[in-house]
Amino acid sequence: MATDLIIIGGGPAGYVAAIRSAQLGKKVVCVEKERVGGTCLNWGCIPTKALLESAEMFRKMSQGAEAYGVKVQDVTADWEAMVARSRAVSDRLCNGIEFLFKKHGIERLQGTASIPNPGEVEVTAPDGSVSRLQASKILIATGARTREIPAFPIDGKRIIGSKQALTLPKAPASMLVIGSGAIGSEFSYIYSCLGCKVTVVEALSNLLPNEDDEVCKAMERSFKKRGITCLVGAKVESVTSSESGVKAHITRPGKPDTDVEAEICLVAVGVMPVTPEAPGLQLTDRGFVQVNERYETNLPGVYAVGDCIGGIMLAHAASFEATQAVEGMFLPGTTPKKPTLVPGCTYCHPQVASVGKRERELKKDGIAYKVGKFPFQAIGRAVAAGETEGFVKLLFGAEHGELLGAHIVGEGATELIATTQLGISSELTDEDLHAMIFAHPTLSEAIHEATLAADGVPIHA
Ligand code: NAD
Protein backbone atom coordinates (compact mmCIF):
# COMPACT_ATOMS: atom_id res chain seq x y z
CA MET A 1 0.00 0.00 0.00
CA ALA A 2 1.42 3.36 -1.03
CA THR A 3 2.04 5.95 1.67
CA ASP A 4 -0.66 8.63 1.73
CA LEU A 5 1.03 11.05 4.09
CA ILE A 6 4.53 11.62 5.42
CA ILE A 7 4.58 13.69 8.59
CA ILE A 8 7.76 15.43 9.69
CA GLY A 9 7.71 15.84 13.46
CA GLY A 10 6.07 13.78 16.18
CA GLY A 11 4.84 16.44 18.63
CA PRO A 12 1.24 17.40 19.45
CA ALA A 13 0.82 18.57 15.83
CA GLY A 14 2.56 15.65 14.11
CA TYR A 15 1.38 12.75 16.24
CA VAL A 16 -2.23 13.97 16.28
CA ALA A 17 -2.13 14.36 12.49
CA ALA A 18 -0.76 10.82 12.23
CA ILE A 19 -3.47 9.30 14.41
CA ARG A 20 -6.28 11.24 12.73
CA SER A 21 -5.05 10.23 9.25
CA ALA A 22 -4.84 6.59 10.34
CA GLN A 23 -8.39 6.83 11.67
CA LEU A 24 -9.39 7.99 8.19
CA GLY A 25 -7.85 4.82 6.76
CA LYS A 26 -4.66 6.41 5.43
CA LYS A 27 -1.19 4.94 5.39
CA VAL A 28 1.05 7.26 7.37
CA VAL A 29 4.76 7.53 8.05
CA CYS A 30 5.94 9.87 10.82
CA VAL A 31 9.58 10.95 10.76
CA GLU A 32 10.94 12.20 14.08
CA LYS A 33 14.58 12.81 14.93
CA GLU A 34 14.16 12.25 18.64
CA ARG A 35 11.41 10.61 20.63
CA VAL A 36 7.75 11.05 19.66
CA GLY A 37 5.83 13.46 21.87
CA GLY A 38 7.61 16.64 20.79
CA THR A 39 8.52 19.45 23.15
CA CYS A 40 5.19 19.15 24.96
CA LEU A 41 5.66 15.60 26.23
CA ASN A 42 9.45 15.46 26.31
CA TRP A 43 10.59 18.89 27.45
CA GLY A 44 7.60 21.15 27.92
CA CYS A 45 4.03 21.02 29.20
CA ILE A 46 4.10 17.57 30.78
CA PRO A 47 7.44 17.34 32.61
CA THR A 48 7.05 20.92 33.89
CA LYS A 49 3.66 20.08 35.32
CA ALA A 50 5.16 17.02 37.01
CA LEU A 51 7.94 19.14 38.51
CA LEU A 52 5.38 21.74 39.55
CA GLU A 53 3.42 19.10 41.47
CA SER A 54 6.55 18.14 43.40
CA ALA A 55 7.38 21.78 44.12
CA GLU A 56 3.81 22.51 45.24
CA MET A 57 3.70 19.48 47.47
CA PHE A 58 6.92 20.61 49.10
CA ARG A 59 5.58 24.15 49.51
CA LYS A 60 2.36 22.96 51.08
CA MET A 61 4.09 20.52 53.43
CA SER A 62 6.83 22.91 54.47
CA GLN A 63 4.95 26.20 54.53
CA GLY A 64 1.25 25.63 55.00
CA ALA A 65 0.47 22.25 56.52
CA GLU A 66 0.08 23.47 60.10
CA ALA A 67 -2.71 25.83 59.12
CA TYR A 68 -4.67 22.73 58.13
CA GLY A 69 -3.92 21.01 61.41
CA VAL A 70 -1.19 18.84 59.97
CA LYS A 71 2.12 18.80 61.79
CA VAL A 72 5.06 17.79 59.68
CA GLN A 73 8.69 17.82 60.64
CA ASP A 74 11.92 17.82 58.75
CA VAL A 75 10.40 18.25 55.31
CA THR A 76 13.14 18.33 52.71
CA ALA A 77 13.06 18.67 48.96
CA ASP A 78 14.84 15.83 47.16
CA TRP A 79 15.57 17.57 43.86
CA GLU A 80 17.01 14.50 42.19
CA ALA A 81 13.88 12.50 43.01
CA MET A 82 11.68 15.34 41.75
CA VAL A 83 13.54 15.41 38.43
CA ALA A 84 13.40 11.62 38.21
CA ARG A 85 9.64 11.67 38.72
CA SER A 86 9.24 14.39 36.10
CA ARG A 87 11.28 12.33 33.60
CA ALA A 88 9.28 9.18 34.44
CA VAL A 89 6.02 11.02 33.76
CA SER A 90 7.42 12.22 30.44
CA ASP A 91 8.60 8.67 29.57
CA ARG A 92 5.21 7.21 30.36
CA LEU A 93 3.35 9.62 28.11
CA CYS A 94 5.83 9.34 25.24
CA ASN A 95 5.59 5.55 25.46
CA GLY A 96 1.84 6.01 25.30
CA ILE A 97 2.18 7.76 21.94
CA GLU A 98 4.46 4.96 20.69
CA PHE A 99 1.73 2.53 21.69
CA LEU A 100 -0.93 4.55 19.88
CA PHE A 101 1.24 4.60 16.75
CA LYS A 102 1.46 0.81 16.84
CA LYS A 103 -2.24 0.48 17.52
CA HIS A 104 -3.04 2.60 14.46
CA GLY A 105 -0.43 1.00 12.22
CA ILE A 106 1.53 4.24 11.88
CA GLU A 107 5.09 3.72 10.72
CA ARG A 108 7.66 5.70 12.66
CA LEU A 109 11.07 6.50 11.25
CA GLN A 110 13.83 7.98 13.36
CA GLY A 111 15.87 10.58 11.57
CA THR A 112 16.07 14.12 10.27
CA ALA A 113 13.84 14.77 7.29
CA SER A 114 14.21 17.17 4.41
CA ILE A 115 11.98 17.74 1.40
CA PRO A 116 14.17 17.71 -1.75
CA ASN A 117 11.07 17.87 -3.96
CA PRO A 118 7.33 17.99 -3.36
CA GLY A 119 6.19 14.38 -2.96
CA GLU A 120 9.56 13.24 -1.64
CA VAL A 121 11.17 13.15 1.80
CA GLU A 122 14.78 12.32 2.51
CA VAL A 123 15.55 10.90 5.94
CA THR A 124 19.00 10.87 7.50
CA ALA A 125 18.98 8.28 10.27
CA PRO A 126 21.05 8.71 13.47
CA ASP A 127 23.67 6.32 12.00
CA GLY A 128 24.05 8.60 8.97
CA SER A 129 22.26 6.33 6.50
CA VAL A 130 19.97 8.09 4.07
CA SER A 131 16.66 6.88 2.68
CA ARG A 132 14.03 8.41 0.45
CA LEU A 133 10.25 8.10 0.78
CA GLN A 134 7.47 9.14 -1.55
CA ALA A 135 3.92 10.26 -0.81
CA SER A 136 1.47 12.56 -2.53
CA LYS A 137 1.11 14.55 0.68
CA ILE A 138 3.68 15.75 3.21
CA LEU A 139 2.93 17.53 6.46
CA ILE A 140 5.56 19.67 8.18
CA ALA A 141 5.05 19.73 11.95
CA THR A 142 8.55 20.58 13.11
CA GLY A 143 7.64 22.90 15.98
CA ALA A 144 9.78 25.57 17.54
CA ARG A 145 12.84 25.95 19.71
CA THR A 146 14.04 28.31 22.43
CA ARG A 147 14.85 31.79 21.22
CA GLU A 148 18.26 32.82 22.43
CA ILE A 149 19.63 36.26 23.18
CA PRO A 150 22.68 36.65 20.89
CA ALA A 151 24.63 38.79 23.39
CA PHE A 152 24.66 35.96 25.92
CA PRO A 153 23.79 32.63 24.29
CA ILE A 154 22.67 29.56 26.21
CA ASP A 155 25.66 27.58 27.44
CA GLY A 156 23.58 24.90 29.18
CA LYS A 157 25.36 25.43 32.50
CA ARG A 158 25.04 28.96 33.82
CA ILE A 159 22.80 30.36 31.08
CA ILE A 160 20.07 27.85 30.37
CA GLY A 161 16.82 27.35 28.46
CA SER A 162 13.67 25.59 29.62
CA LYS A 163 15.02 22.17 28.69
CA GLN A 164 17.99 22.43 31.04
CA ALA A 165 15.73 23.99 33.71
CA LEU A 166 13.94 20.64 33.90
CA THR A 167 17.04 18.61 34.63
CA LEU A 168 19.49 20.80 36.53
CA PRO A 169 21.91 18.65 38.53
CA LYS A 170 20.88 20.51 41.69
CA ALA A 171 18.25 23.08 42.60
CA PRO A 172 19.97 26.48 42.50
CA ALA A 173 19.89 28.83 45.49
CA SER A 174 19.23 31.79 43.20
CA MET A 175 17.98 32.25 39.66
CA LEU A 176 17.60 35.12 37.24
CA VAL A 177 14.71 34.51 34.86
CA ILE A 178 14.58 36.60 31.69
CA GLY A 179 11.03 36.83 30.31
CA SER A 180 7.76 36.34 32.15
CA GLY A 181 5.63 34.52 29.61
CA ALA A 182 4.38 31.05 30.48
CA ILE A 183 7.85 29.52 30.72
CA GLY A 184 9.41 32.30 32.79
CA SER A 185 6.43 32.50 35.15
CA GLU A 186 6.10 28.75 35.64
CA PHE A 187 9.77 28.19 36.40
CA SER A 188 9.91 31.31 38.62
CA TYR A 189 7.14 29.80 40.69
CA ILE A 190 8.52 26.24 40.71
CA TYR A 191 11.97 27.29 41.83
CA SER A 192 10.66 29.79 44.39
CA CYS A 193 8.66 26.97 46.01
CA LEU A 194 11.92 25.16 46.53
CA GLY A 195 13.46 28.10 48.35
CA CYS A 196 15.36 29.51 45.39
CA LYS A 197 15.71 33.30 45.36
CA VAL A 198 14.18 34.23 42.01
CA THR A 199 14.42 37.51 40.13
CA VAL A 200 12.26 37.74 37.04
CA VAL A 201 12.90 40.41 34.43
CA GLU A 202 10.22 41.31 31.90
CA ALA A 203 10.76 43.76 29.04
CA LEU A 204 7.11 44.80 28.85
CA SER A 205 5.30 46.67 31.59
CA ASN A 206 3.57 43.63 33.16
CA LEU A 207 4.30 40.05 34.15
CA LEU A 208 2.47 37.60 31.88
CA PRO A 209 1.88 40.55 29.54
CA ASN A 210 -0.39 38.62 27.22
CA GLU A 211 -3.05 38.37 29.90
CA ASP A 212 -5.77 40.84 30.86
CA ASP A 213 -4.23 43.78 32.74
CA GLU A 214 -5.94 42.98 36.05
CA VAL A 215 -4.64 39.42 35.85
CA CYS A 216 -1.10 40.72 35.28
CA LYS A 217 -1.32 42.94 38.33
CA ALA A 218 -2.71 40.11 40.48
CA MET A 219 0.14 37.88 39.36
CA GLU A 220 2.74 40.48 40.19
CA ARG A 221 1.26 41.00 43.68
CA SER A 222 1.24 37.27 44.25
CA PHE A 223 4.79 36.75 43.01
CA LYS A 224 6.05 39.59 45.20
CA LYS A 225 4.26 38.11 48.24
CA ARG A 226 6.03 34.87 47.49
CA GLY A 227 9.37 36.67 47.61
CA ILE A 228 9.99 36.72 43.88
CA THR A 229 11.66 39.95 42.78
CA CYS A 230 9.81 41.27 39.74
CA LEU A 231 11.51 43.80 37.48
CA VAL A 232 9.06 44.87 34.77
CA GLY A 233 9.71 47.28 31.91
CA ALA A 234 13.32 46.21 32.30
CA LYS A 235 16.08 45.24 29.91
CA VAL A 236 18.90 42.83 30.59
CA GLU A 237 21.84 44.57 28.96
CA SER A 238 24.43 41.92 29.69
CA VAL A 239 24.95 38.63 31.45
CA THR A 240 28.43 37.47 32.32
CA SER A 241 28.96 34.02 33.69
CA SER A 242 31.70 32.65 35.89
CA GLU A 243 32.41 29.38 37.68
CA SER A 244 30.09 30.34 40.53
CA GLY A 245 27.20 32.02 38.71
CA VAL A 246 26.02 34.90 36.57
CA LYS A 247 25.96 38.66 36.90
CA ALA A 248 23.43 40.67 34.90
CA HIS A 249 23.23 44.37 34.26
CA ILE A 250 19.64 45.57 34.02
CA THR A 251 18.30 48.93 32.89
CA ARG A 252 14.82 50.35 33.50
CA PRO A 253 13.72 53.64 31.94
CA GLY A 254 13.16 56.21 34.68
CA LYS A 255 14.66 53.99 37.37
CA PRO A 256 18.23 53.35 38.45
CA ASP A 257 20.15 50.55 36.75
CA THR A 258 20.60 47.44 38.80
CA ASP A 259 22.89 44.42 38.85
CA VAL A 260 21.60 40.99 39.73
CA GLU A 261 23.77 38.05 40.69
CA ALA A 262 22.44 34.52 40.61
CA GLU A 263 23.63 30.93 40.33
CA ILE A 264 21.71 30.37 37.11
CA CYS A 265 20.14 32.51 34.40
CA LEU A 266 17.09 31.08 32.64
CA VAL A 267 16.34 32.57 29.24
CA ALA A 268 12.58 32.42 28.54
CA VAL A 269 12.03 35.07 25.90
CA GLY A 270 9.94 33.03 23.49
CA VAL A 271 10.55 30.53 20.74
CA MET A 272 11.50 30.53 17.08
CA PRO A 273 10.33 28.20 14.34
CA VAL A 274 12.12 25.03 13.33
CA THR A 275 11.75 24.26 9.63
CA PRO A 276 13.06 21.39 7.54
CA GLU A 277 15.37 21.87 4.62
CA ALA A 278 13.01 22.26 1.67
CA PRO A 279 14.22 24.18 -1.40
CA GLY A 280 11.69 26.79 -2.49
CA LEU A 281 9.58 26.57 0.68
CA GLN A 282 8.15 30.00 1.36
CA LEU A 283 8.71 31.38 4.85
CA THR A 284 7.35 34.55 6.46
CA ASP A 285 9.78 37.34 7.32
CA ARG A 286 9.94 35.89 10.86
CA GLY A 287 10.90 32.48 9.53
CA PHE A 288 7.58 30.65 9.95
CA VAL A 289 6.30 28.36 7.21
CA GLN A 290 3.74 30.25 5.17
CA VAL A 291 0.45 28.39 4.64
CA ASN A 292 -2.90 29.13 3.02
CA GLU A 293 -6.35 28.60 4.51
CA ARG A 294 -6.01 24.83 3.94
CA TYR A 295 -2.61 24.74 5.69
CA GLU A 296 -0.91 24.13 2.33
CA THR A 297 2.47 25.71 1.66
CA ASN A 298 3.59 27.11 -1.69
CA LEU A 299 4.98 23.64 -2.54
CA PRO A 300 2.20 21.48 -4.00
CA GLY A 301 1.06 18.73 -1.63
CA VAL A 302 3.23 20.05 1.21
CA TYR A 303 1.29 21.23 4.26
CA ALA A 304 2.38 22.65 7.62
CA VAL A 305 0.78 22.96 11.07
CA GLY A 306 1.72 23.77 14.65
CA ASP A 307 4.36 26.08 16.06
CA CYS A 308 6.33 26.12 12.80
CA ILE A 309 3.55 28.17 11.14
CA GLY A 310 3.36 30.68 14.02
CA GLY A 311 0.06 32.11 15.22
CA ILE A 312 -1.04 30.77 18.59
CA MET A 313 1.90 28.64 19.63
CA LEU A 314 0.31 26.26 22.08
CA ALA A 315 0.11 22.46 22.01
CA HIS A 316 -3.69 22.39 21.90
CA ALA A 317 -3.78 24.88 19.02
CA ALA A 318 -1.22 22.74 17.16
CA SER A 319 -3.30 19.59 17.63
CA PHE A 320 -6.40 21.42 16.41
CA GLU A 321 -4.57 22.62 13.30
CA ALA A 322 -3.31 19.09 12.69
CA THR A 323 -6.79 17.60 12.76
CA GLN A 324 -8.15 20.36 10.56
CA ALA A 325 -5.37 20.04 8.00
CA VAL A 326 -5.68 16.27 7.76
CA GLU A 327 -9.46 16.34 7.46
CA GLY A 328 -9.06 18.99 4.77
CA MET A 329 -6.67 16.68 2.90
CA PHE A 330 -8.64 13.47 3.16
CA LEU A 331 -12.31 14.24 3.77
CA PRO A 332 -13.79 15.58 0.53
CA GLY A 333 -15.74 18.79 0.93
CA THR A 334 -14.14 19.72 4.26
CA THR A 335 -13.08 23.30 4.83
CA PRO A 336 -10.34 23.37 7.47
CA LYS A 337 -10.74 25.90 10.25
CA LYS A 338 -8.06 27.99 11.93
CA PRO A 339 -7.89 28.12 15.73
CA THR A 340 -9.84 31.10 17.01
CA LEU A 341 -11.09 30.57 20.54
CA VAL A 342 -7.97 29.17 22.18
CA PRO A 343 -7.67 29.06 25.96
CA GLY A 344 -4.36 29.88 27.59
CA CYS A 345 -3.26 28.38 30.89
CA THR A 346 -0.28 29.22 33.06
CA TYR A 347 0.61 26.89 35.87
CA CYS A 348 1.91 28.80 38.82
CA HIS A 349 0.13 29.59 42.05
CA PRO A 350 -2.38 31.03 41.70
CA GLN A 351 -3.04 29.50 38.31
CA VAL A 352 -3.96 31.78 35.43
CA ALA A 353 -6.34 30.88 32.63
CA SER A 354 -8.10 32.91 30.02
CA VAL A 355 -10.15 32.64 26.87
CA GLY A 356 -11.73 35.12 24.51
CA LYS A 357 -11.36 38.88 24.62
CA ARG A 358 -9.28 40.88 27.06
CA GLU A 359 -10.69 44.16 28.35
CA ARG A 360 -8.09 46.21 26.49
CA GLU A 361 -9.06 44.55 23.18
CA LEU A 362 -12.74 45.39 23.68
CA LYS A 363 -11.79 48.99 24.43
CA LYS A 364 -9.58 49.15 21.36
CA ASP A 365 -12.30 47.65 19.15
CA GLY A 366 -14.90 50.04 20.56
CA ILE A 367 -17.12 47.19 21.75
CA ALA A 368 -19.46 48.15 24.59
CA TYR A 369 -19.15 45.60 27.42
CA LYS A 370 -19.88 44.98 31.06
CA VAL A 371 -17.57 43.37 33.59
CA GLY A 372 -18.45 40.82 36.24
CA LYS A 373 -15.72 40.08 38.75
CA PHE A 374 -15.89 37.89 41.80
CA PRO A 375 -13.15 36.98 44.29
CA PHE A 376 -12.51 33.42 45.43
CA GLN A 377 -12.32 34.68 49.03
CA ALA A 378 -16.13 34.77 49.07
CA ILE A 379 -16.52 31.24 47.69
CA GLY A 380 -17.08 28.61 50.36
CA ARG A 381 -15.18 25.85 48.59
CA ALA A 382 -12.15 28.10 48.16
CA VAL A 383 -12.20 29.15 51.82
CA ALA A 384 -12.46 25.52 52.90
CA ALA A 385 -9.51 24.67 50.70
CA GLY A 386 -7.51 27.62 52.02
CA GLU A 387 -7.21 28.81 48.43
CA THR A 388 -8.76 32.25 48.48
CA GLU A 389 -6.36 34.10 46.21
CA GLY A 390 -7.64 35.37 42.87
CA PHE A 391 -10.90 35.98 41.06
CA VAL A 392 -13.07 35.20 38.08
CA LYS A 393 -13.53 38.09 35.68
CA LEU A 394 -16.07 37.80 32.89
CA LEU A 395 -16.70 40.20 30.05
CA PHE A 396 -20.16 40.38 28.46
CA GLY A 397 -21.47 42.39 25.53
CA ALA A 398 -23.31 45.42 26.95
CA GLU A 399 -26.33 45.15 24.67
CA HIS A 400 -27.01 41.44 24.31
CA GLY A 401 -25.11 40.07 27.29
CA GLU A 402 -23.12 37.55 25.25
CA LEU A 403 -20.03 36.17 27.00
CA LEU A 404 -16.96 37.63 25.27
CA GLY A 405 -14.04 36.80 27.53
CA ALA A 406 -13.11 35.02 30.73
CA HIS A 407 -10.04 35.61 32.90
CA ILE A 408 -9.46 33.48 35.95
CA VAL A 409 -6.71 33.73 38.54
CA GLY A 410 -6.81 31.18 41.31
CA GLU A 411 -6.90 27.58 42.38
CA GLY A 412 -8.29 25.36 39.62
CA ALA A 413 -8.35 28.20 37.06
CA THR A 414 -6.93 25.98 34.33
CA GLU A 415 -9.81 23.52 34.74
CA LEU A 416 -12.53 26.13 35.29
CA ILE A 417 -11.73 27.91 32.05
CA ALA A 418 -13.34 25.17 29.91
CA THR A 419 -16.80 26.06 31.25
CA THR A 420 -16.43 29.65 30.18
CA GLN A 421 -14.98 28.59 26.84
CA LEU A 422 -18.08 26.50 26.23
CA GLY A 423 -20.12 29.55 27.18
CA ILE A 424 -18.38 31.72 24.59
CA SER A 425 -18.44 29.13 21.82
CA SER A 426 -22.13 28.40 22.49
CA GLU A 427 -22.89 32.14 22.52
CA LEU A 428 -24.31 31.96 26.04
CA THR A 429 -25.43 35.21 27.64
CA ASP A 430 -25.38 36.46 31.20
CA GLU A 431 -29.03 35.43 31.43
CA ASP A 432 -28.19 31.86 30.37
CA LEU A 433 -25.48 31.68 33.04
CA HIS A 434 -27.78 33.22 35.67
CA ALA A 435 -30.26 30.45 34.97
CA MET A 436 -27.68 27.69 35.29
CA ILE A 437 -27.40 25.84 38.61
CA PHE A 438 -23.76 25.53 39.61
CA ALA A 439 -22.96 22.76 42.09
CA HIS A 440 -22.30 23.79 45.68
CA PRO A 441 -19.73 23.83 47.11
CA THR A 442 -17.47 24.22 44.08
CA LEU A 443 -15.00 26.75 42.80
CA SER A 444 -17.18 27.03 39.69
CA GLU A 445 -19.67 29.04 41.73
CA ALA A 446 -17.28 31.95 41.20
CA ILE A 447 -18.29 31.86 37.52
CA HIS A 448 -21.95 32.12 38.50
CA GLU A 449 -21.26 34.91 40.97
CA ALA A 450 -19.15 36.81 38.43
CA THR A 451 -22.07 36.62 36.01
CA LEU A 452 -24.43 37.95 38.67
CA ALA A 453 -21.88 40.64 39.51
CA ALA A 454 -21.90 41.82 35.89
CA ASP A 455 -25.55 42.72 36.44
CA GLY A 456 -24.98 44.14 39.91
CA VAL A 457 -26.64 41.28 41.80
CA PRO A 458 -23.97 38.97 43.24
CA ILE A 459 -25.28 36.97 46.19
CA HIS A 460 -22.17 36.66 48.31
CA ALA A 461 -20.71 40.15 47.94
P1 NAD B 1 6.48 33.94 25.57
O1 NAD B 1 6.57 34.57 24.25
O2 NAD B 1 5.19 33.48 26.08
O3 NAD B 1 7.06 34.95 26.68
C1 NAD B 1 8.30 35.56 26.55
C2 NAD B 1 8.31 36.82 27.41
O4 NAD B 1 9.61 37.33 27.39
C3 NAD B 1 7.39 37.90 26.90
O5 NAD B 1 6.60 38.37 27.96
C4 NAD B 1 8.35 38.98 26.42
O6 NAD B 1 7.85 40.28 26.59
C5 NAD B 1 9.56 38.73 27.29
N1 NAD B 1 10.83 39.15 26.69
C6 NAD B 1 11.23 38.98 25.41
N2 NAD B 1 12.49 39.44 25.27
C7 NAD B 1 12.89 39.86 26.49
C8 NAD B 1 14.10 40.41 26.99
N3 NAD B 1 15.17 40.57 26.21
N4 NAD B 1 14.16 40.75 28.30
C9 NAD B 1 13.08 40.55 29.12
N5 NAD B 1 11.92 40.03 28.69
C10 NAD B 1 11.83 39.70 27.40
O7 NAD B 1 7.55 32.75 25.54
P2 NAD B 1 7.96 31.64 26.59
O8 NAD B 1 7.42 31.92 27.95
O9 NAD B 1 9.43 31.51 26.41
O10 NAD B 1 7.24 30.36 26.05
C11 NAD B 1 7.54 29.86 24.75
C12 NAD B 1 6.33 29.21 24.12
O11 NAD B 1 5.92 28.08 24.85
C13 NAD B 1 5.15 30.16 24.07
O12 NAD B 1 4.51 30.00 22.84
C14 NAD B 1 4.31 29.69 25.20
O13 NAD B 1 2.95 29.99 25.03
C15 NAD B 1 4.57 28.20 25.22
N6 NAD B 1 4.37 27.65 26.57
C16 NAD B 1 3.12 27.49 27.03
C17 NAD B 1 2.92 27.03 28.32
C18 NAD B 1 1.53 26.86 28.83
O14 NAD B 1 0.61 26.93 28.04
N7 NAD B 1 1.35 26.68 30.13
C19 NAD B 1 4.00 26.74 29.14
C20 NAD B 1 5.26 26.94 28.64
C21 NAD B 1 5.44 27.39 27.34
Side-chain angles (χ1 to χ4, degrees):
M1 186 176 164
T3 302
D4 297 296
L5 175 66
I6 303 169
I7 298 169
I8 306 177
Y15 84 69
V16 168
I19 292 171
R20 186 70 192 116
S21 308
Q23 285 172 341
L24 296 174
K26 302 299 165 189
K27 179 158 170 39
V28 188
V29 177
C30 180
V31 186
E32 165 60 60
K33 63 182 160 63
E34 291 170 15
R35 189 167 72 161
V36 289
T39 304
C40 171
L41 270 57
N42 285 290
W43 298 108
C45 317
I46 297 301
T48 44
K49 299 309 95 69
L51 205 53
L52 173 87
E53 291 296 333
S54 292
E56 287 235 284
M57 184 166 301
F58 175 69
R59 176 180 67 81
K60 284 183 181 159
M61 302 276 278
S62 60
Q63 292 168 25
E66 276 201 19
Y68 293 79
V70 180
K71 286 204 169 151
V72 280
Q73 282 175 337
D74 304 329
V75 182
T76 51
D78 181 344
W79 172 251
E80 263 182 51
M82 289 181 179
V83 171
R85 177 178 182 275
S86 161
R87 297 320 303 154
V89 168
S90 168
D91 292 347
R92 177 174 166 171
L93 285 155
C94 291
N95 290 339
I97 304 300
E98 294 275 6
F99 165 80
L100 290 173
F101 271 24
K102 282 194 189 112
K103 178 181 154 190
H104 289 284
I106 297 160
E107 188 184 338
R108 189 172 98 66
L109 276 185
Q110 193 172 11
T112 302
S114 60
I115 307 171
N117 309 292
E120 190 162 47
V121 169
E122 186 175 283
V123 181
T124 308
D127 65 6
S129 61
V130 175
S131 56
R132 282 203 175 203
L133 315 167
Q134 277 82 30
S136 58
K137 292 187 170 32
I138 296 168
L139 179 68
I140 302 171
T142 39
R145 64 184 162 85
T146 303
R147 186 161 79 80
E148 297 196 39
I149 300 177
F152 37 92
I154 288 171
D155 62 22
K157 286 197 170 67
R158 292 289 165 204
I159 303 176
I160 62 169
S162 57
K163 186 172 175 177
Q164 291 93 6
L166 281 166
T167 54
L168 286 175
K170 72 176 183 63
S174 54
M175 182 178 265
L176 169 69
V177 177
I178 308 180
S180 73
I183 293 182
S185 297
E186 291 183 359
F187 278 111
S188 292
Y189 172 66
I190 290 173
Y191 279 103
S192 76
C193 285
L194 299 171
C196 175
K197 188 177 160 13
V198 176
T199 302
V200 58
V201 182
E202 167 58 52
L204 298 178
S205 53
N206 281 320
L207 292 188
L208 275 184
N210 248 336
E211 295 295 338
D212 189 85
D213 295 351
E214 278 190 86
V215 170
C216 304
K217 293 294 173 214
M219 273 294 300
E220 188 170 337
R221 275 196 303 275
S222 175
F223 267 26
K224 283 182 173 162
K225 224 164 64 190
R226 209 165 280 293
I228 299 172
T229 305
C230 305
L231 304 176
V232 295
K235 186 162 183 243
V236 180
E237 300 290 349
S238 63
V239 177
T240 47
S241 48
S242 65
E243 265 307 294
S244 57
V246 293
K247 185 172 178 180
H249 184 65
I250 295 159
T251 55
R252 289 177 292 170
K255 291 189 179 156
D257 293 6
T258 178
D259 286 340
V260 173
E261 290 187 45
E263 257 182 54
I264 297 278
C265 169
L266 168 65
V267 177
V269 296
V271 288
M272 51 195 288
V274 174
T275 52
E277 213 184 292
L281 180 68
Q282 209 159 30
L283 304 179
T284 67
D285 51 4
R286 292 180 57 216
F288 294 101
V289 181
Q290 199 152 11
V291 294
N292 66 14
E293 66 288 348
R294 299 189 72 81
Y295 297 98
E296 194 168 10
T297 71
N298 65 311
L299 302 177
V302 179
Y303 297 74
V305 290
D307 283 1
C308 70
I309 65 167
I312 301 166
M313 296 168 76
L314 292 170
H316 42 285
S319 299
F320 175 86
E321 290 169 355
T323 306
Q324 292 296 315
V326 160
E327 291 181 356
M329 287 178 215
F330 297 125
L331 284 179
T334 307
T335 306
K337 295 189 191 72
K338 296 280 165 131
T340 47
L341 193 64
V342 182
C345 296
T346 305
Y347 296 80
C348 35
H349 189 94
Q351 293 184 347
V352 174
S354 59
V355 66
K357 298 285 185 194
R358 302 167 191 85
E359 209 175 335
R360 60 177 178 271
E361 290 172 298
L362 295 176
K363 279 189 186 136
K364 188 167 152 266
D365 296 346
I367 296 170
Y369 63 95
K370 54 187 176 184
V371 182
K373 195 176 157 198
F374 198 83
F376 280 110
Q377 63 185 8
I379 295 292
R381 183 69 184 87
V383 176
E387 295 288 358
T388 52
E389 205 174 351
F391 54 81
V392 171
K393 173 176 172 179
L394 302 179
L395 303 169
F396 296 95
E399 194 180 345
H400 304 294
E402 73 281 18
L403 183 57
L404 297 169
H407 304 275
I408 309 180
V409 182
E411 176 76 358
T414 57
E415 302 294 337
L416 290 173
I417 200 69
T419 306
T420 59
Q421 183 183 1
L422 194 60
I424 297 174
S425 60
S426 312
E427 299 180 358
L428 296 189
T429 63
D430 51 350
E431 281 183 22
D432 296 322
L433 289 170
H434 284 188
M436 204 171 128
I437 301 171
F438 285 76
H440 177 76
T442 63
L443 297 172
S444 71
E445 288 172 281
I447 296 172
H448 196 212
E449 288 278 20
T451 309
L452 297 171
D455 295 317
V457 289
I459 299 295
H460 294 93

